[in-house]
Amino acid sequence: TGVGVSPHHVLEGHNGPVSCLGFTDDGSRLVSGSEDGSARVWDTATRQVVRVLAGPARGPISALLVLARPRFLTASHRAAGKSSAGGSGGEKGGPLRPQPLQPFQRYPADCKPW
């Protein structure tokens, strides 16, 4: 590096120390959790905040896990002619919604516990 050039880029936005980091699988996003109670999603190409997530409790965030979105929840999956069993989500763009779960029953109606 030359004189006066920093090899590091600083992402500014949290109001407290950053306590955890995670990248998406493709490296396009960085998620940072902070002791200020917020998580921020950063675009790694532009180094800009894409979204700020803050819980109602506003407690410190000490760990995070970045997971890939399941393919059945993406609009591109639906555009390819595939849909979920119930077709929930409508014809509008956006992710599909999973079908609601059946009400919990401790024992099936035709089965007795003893």
Side-chain angles (χ1 to χ4, degrees):
T1 61
V3 176
V5 177
S6 173
H8 304 287
H9 297 280
V10 177
L11 304 175
E12 296 181 3
H14 285 291
N15 294 321
V18 172
S19 52
C20 51
L21 296 170
F23 278 97
T24 56
D25 287 341
D26 62 0
S28 66
R29 300 281 193 256
L30 170 69
V31 182
S32 59
S34 172
E35 290 183 8
D36 67 6
S38 71
R40 294 178 186 268
V41 181
W42 305 84
D43 182 304
T44 56
T46 64
R47 298 183 185 96
Q48 297 297 312
V49 174
V50 178
R51 178 171 290 168
V52 177
L53 307 166
R58 302 282 296 170
I61 297 176
S62 59
L64 56 84
L65 177 63
V66 180
L67 299 172
R69 180 180 294 214
R71 207 171 131 72
F72 72 88
L73 289 177
T74 62
S76 63
H77 182 69
R78 186 174 55 234
K82 300 172 181 149
S83 65
S84 66
S88 61
E91 293 303 316
K92 298 177 184 175
L96 296 173
R97 293 183 184 171
Q99 293 298 309
L101 299 174
Q102 295 295 322
F104 176 76
Q105 295 179 354
R106 177 168 239 145
Y107 304 102
D110 59 346
C111 178
K112 300 292 180 193
W114 287 272

